[in-house]
Amino acid sequence: METYFIRHTWGVSVDDKTRKRMWRERRVFIHFPWDKTRNQHSDSRSKNPEDYEVGNKRALSALQRLATEGGYVCAHYSEQDKWLMGFVPPKSKVRLFRGRWRPEVPRPKGHNGIAIIKTIRLQKACLVSPHDYASLQSAQPRQGTIMRWPSVGDLVAAIVRKERRQVTFDRLGASDQEVMCAEFLRLGKMRQDILPKLVCLLRDVGRTMKDLDVLGIASDGKRIMAQVTYDPLETSGAREKLEILKKYQSNRGVHLLLFCDSKKRSRIGGVSVFPIREVYERFCRTPVGKLWRKQFST
């Protein structure tokens, strides 16, 4: 089943009492009061995504999909120190809940002040400190109310099921793979000019760059520009990343690297292609890699 991240920011229009009840009952929710009818005397009770404008439609569609198909959830209430996690069984229903608008939030004249919330109650709910799972903190989506969260793999599911999660390559999320490749480059374990040694990062790994997953400086003073993907080299996803890297090949002072699920090392159009599974196997045999793998387990 898929994992979803849900963000409950402090600035939403429901009052503190309503939010506290949602938290106490281990619920996730959205509050979109206006549908396409433009009636602003009371909140919309419609649970049909087609009745809402694009942004709200997308979020409500995701909530309905979670209810119908089931899934694992990590929810962040901005006023809470811990994250709420739980499970939604397939064929669940999105329910309507009557709360109150936050008094200081302006609402249209004549509105009754009742907040109609669309909500799902989590099962097997638990509270988790994000500090205990650094990979979750770093991979947290930056925008949106509710969204699928494939980059964390099955970590949330393992936490909810209270399973000990032994790290394997296939269980790594996208952000985990990016960090692994950057740290492997930092160790400089592949000599003979196969891979450069990373001595300094110039940007956060993965999350802040459009075209690159790793941007840093190598021991020879050249820049390292790398893309990381789980996809096999033959797939469109890996080929797209390869084409992105080729845009930088006119710059002689750069190492262009693509880590992907290739069968062997190769060089294509000025880009060094390296098997990402080999990175995992070699990195996990190093002292640093062993520590990394141990901290990753739950």
Side-chain angles (χ1 to χ4, degrees):
M1 289 186 179
E2 293 189 286
T3 297
Y4 290 76
F5 183 85
I6 300 177
R7 177 181 287 106
H8 297 312
T9 59
W10 183 255
V12 296
S13 50
V14 297
D15 69 357
D16 296 349
K17 184 178 179 179
T18 303
R19 288 177 68 91
K20 287 177 180 177
R21 181 171 179 180
M22 294 292 101
W23 176 261
R24 187 171 62 251
E25 294 184 1
R26 304 306 188 230
R27 291 181 178 273
V28 294
F29 67 94
I30 56 177
H31 179 222
F32 297 144
W34 318 130
D35 57 29
K36 291 179 180 179
T37 66
R38 305 294 183 183
N39 171 29
Q40 296 190 353
H41 294 294
S42 61
D43 286 7
S44 174
R45 301 179 62 87
S46 174
K47 295 184 286 186
N48 183 357
E50 297 299 326
D51 289 339
Y52 293 84
E53 300 295 345
V54 176
N56 295 350
K57 173 183 175 180
R58 187 181 302 114
L60 186 53
S61 294
L63 192 70
Q64 289 284 14
R65 185 171 57 248
L66 169 61
T68 302
E69 299 176 359
Y72 292 91
V73 173
C74 176
H76 179 209
Y77 281 68
S78 55
E79 70 272 28
Q80 300 291 341
D81 293 333
K82 293 188 176 182
W83 288 359
L84 172 63
M85 295 187 182
F87 171 69
V88 176
K91 299 181 181 179
S92 297
K93 299 292 184 182
V94 175
R95 304 294 183 183
L96 296 181
F97 179 90
R98 287 167 59 95
R100 300 294 302 183
W101 275 61
R102 184 182 295 277
E104 61 269 27
V105 174
R107 60 180 186 269
K109 185 177 181 180
H111 190 279
N112 58 18
I114 296 174
I116 302 299
I117 296 169
K118 287 81 174 177
T119 178
I120 300 176
R121 192 168 192 169
L122 303 183
Q123 297 187 13
K124 301 180 181 179
C126 59
L127 302 181
V128 174
S129 171
H131 301 295
D132 294 336
Y133 298 94
S135 59
L136 288 177
Q137 183 79 343
S138 62
Q140 177 184 345
R142 297 288 179 90
Q143 297 178 338
T145 303
I146 171 173
M147 65 224 76
R148 283 179 283 194
W149 201 15
S151 64
V152 296
D154 63 351
L155 179 54
V156 173
I159 293 171
V160 172
R161 295 195 300 254
K162 294 180 168 52
E163 295 178 351
R164 181 161 184 83
R165 178 178 178 265
Q166 187 63 40
V167 174
T168 63
F169 174 78
D170 292 316
R171 285 184 133 178
L172 295 178
S175 59
D176 307 323
Q177 295 173 27
E178 292 162 0
V179 170
M180 175 188 71
C181 289
E183 291 302 318
F184 184 69
L185 288 171
R186 195 187 301 276
L187 292 176
K189 286 294 181 181
M190 296 299 298
R191 306 317 304 149
Q192 296 83 41
D193 298 324
I194 297 173
L195 287 178
K197 180 177 180 178
L198 174 68
V199 295
C200 176
L201 286 172
L202 296 174
R203 296 287 188 277
D204 292 343
V205 174
R207 292 170 58 79
T208 60
M209 295 174 286
K210 178 181 179 182
D211 283 355
L212 303 170
D213 295 320
V214 180
L215 176 63
I217 301 174
S219 57
D220 60 5
K222 296 181 180 180
R223 286 195 172 194
I224 293 175
M225 296 181 176
Q227 283 272 18
V228 180
T229 179
Y230 178 85
D231 295 339
L233 180 60
E234 299 78 18
T235 62
S236 59
R239 287 289 171 177
E240 181 179 345
K241 287 181 176 284
L242 181 64
E243 292 305 314
I244 289 173
L245 287 169
K246 285 181 180 179
K247 295 191 303 185
Y248 299 96
Q249 62 185 326
S250 59
N251 187 344
R252 294 184 179 179
V254 66
H255 298 282
L256 301 176
L257 309 174
L258 174 63
F259 297 98
C260 64
D261 195 12
S262 60
K263 295 184 172 114
K264 61 181 181 179
R265 307 169 199 168
S266 60
R267 191 166 178 83
I268 304 174
V271 179
S272 296
V273 178
F274 200 89
I276 192 171
R277 290 179 184 271
E278 183 178 343
V279 172
Y280 175 79
E281 293 168 0
R282 286 178 174 270
F283 184 56
C284 288
R285 290 199 295 266
T286 68
V288 173
K290 288 177 182 178
L291 284 173
W292 170 81
R293 192 168 185 264
K294 181 179 179 181
Q295 292 297 319
F296 234 109
S297 300
T298 61

